[in-house]
Amino acid sequence: MTFTGKNEDVTILHKQIRDTKRRIIIRGFVSRKEYAEENYDGLKGVYADLYRKTQRILDRLTEHTFRTMLTKMQELPIDTETKLNGVIDIIYEKALNDRKRCVAYANLCRGMAMGEVENTWRRQLDDREVKDRQQSLGNIWFSGELFKLKMLTEKIIHDSVFKLLCNRHPDDLECACTLLAIIGKELDVDKAKPRMDQYFKHMASLVNRETTPAYVKMLLHGVIDLRRNKWAPCCDESPKPNTSSARK
């Protein structure tokens, strides 16, 4: 995309409004549905109109409507960096809360040739604190799908895996297993073998640790076996860790 200009005042206003809304959501004053349907008070003219149209398109995005919705997105006047960042923020919010459509959201970004998506994603990964487990998994799924479409670099993914494994929190370990199950085959190339070996050596040590929860050990075992089997799942389905039953 070619940017025709940048309005610093609007950029600052946009960031302040976005951050305020997110704080309100975290504190539970409004629901995410209300946030998605709000009128973008404070943003005037083309910005408010653009973000409303983006939200409507994403609400209607399905496997069957993808081409139509992609065309509508391509027709939107996203001609400044501020507008692009706002649109990516909206897609990001949707992906966090709707894992089932992460593939569609990722393909939408590719179809729109969002060249700035990686830089924006770095900012999102660095700045955003995702506390909800389902949102964390949504973040992981979307990151994996973007990586498979070559819209995120190996470095970003390796950094994410490393941080998740080092944190050792059960939810972070679950996210690490999920990410490796989604894109492990693409990530496990010759030049990355030393790093991958290091990850799996650490994961094996976690399996043998008494303090590791049983359901996490199950996930770790699953991904270790998956790599040992050259990333070929034991059935026709894609390797997607499911912890809903293990947590019960």
Side-chain angles (χ1 to χ4, degrees), residues 79-100:
D79 51 11
T80 70
E81 184 177 357
T82 301
K83 292 179 181 178
L84 176 62
N85 286 336
V87 168
I88 293 178
D89 280 346
I90 294 172
I91 296 175
Y92 179 78
E93 291 285 347
K94 296 286 287 186
L96 284 184
N97 296 283
D98 191 357
R99 279 187 289 157
K100 293 181 179 180

Side-chain angles (χ1 to χ4, degrees), residues 137-155:
L137 290 173
N139 185 26
I140 290 300
W141 274 84
F142 195 31
S143 298
E145 295 301 334
L146 287 172
F147 174 71
K148 288 197 289 187
L149 294 175
K150 302 186 184 305
M151 299 192 72
L152 292 182
T153 64
E154 291 182 13
K155 184 180 186 307

Side-chain angles (χ1 to χ4, degrees), residues 77-125:
I78 308 174
D79 51 11
T80 70
E81 184 177 357
T82 301
K83 292 179 181 178
L84 176 62
N85 286 336
V87 168
I88 293 178
D89 280 346
I90 294 172
I91 296 175
Y92 179 78
E93 291 285 347
K94 296 286 287 186
L96 284 184
N97 296 283
D98 191 357
R99 279 187 289 157
K100 293 181 179 180
R101 289 198 283 184
C102 279
V103 175
Y105 296 139
N107 277 289
L108 191 67
C109 290
R110 183 180 66 171
M112 294 178 65
M114 286 182 165
E116 292 293 315
V117 71
E118 183 169 324
N119 292 331
T120 302
W121 207 253
R122 284 182 181 273
R123 172 174 57 79
Q124 293 282 16
L125 293 175

Side-chain angles (χ1 to χ4, degrees), residues 193-236:
K193 188 177 186 302
R195 294 193 71 171
M196 294 294 286
D197 288 345
Q198 184 181 16
Y199 298 154
F200 280 83
K201 181 179 179 179
H202 179 64
M203 291 164 66
S205 70
L206 290 173
V207 170
N208 296 324
R209 197 168 290 171
E210 291 184 0
T211 55
T212 303
Y215 81 92
V216 174
K217 289 184 179 183
M218 181 190 71
L219 289 173
L220 292 167
H221 267 304
V223 179
I224 291 172
D225 289 343
L226 191 59
R227 190 192 191 206
R228 187 180 294 121
N229 198 35
K230 301 185 182 301
W231 301 103
C234 60
C235 56
D236 292 333

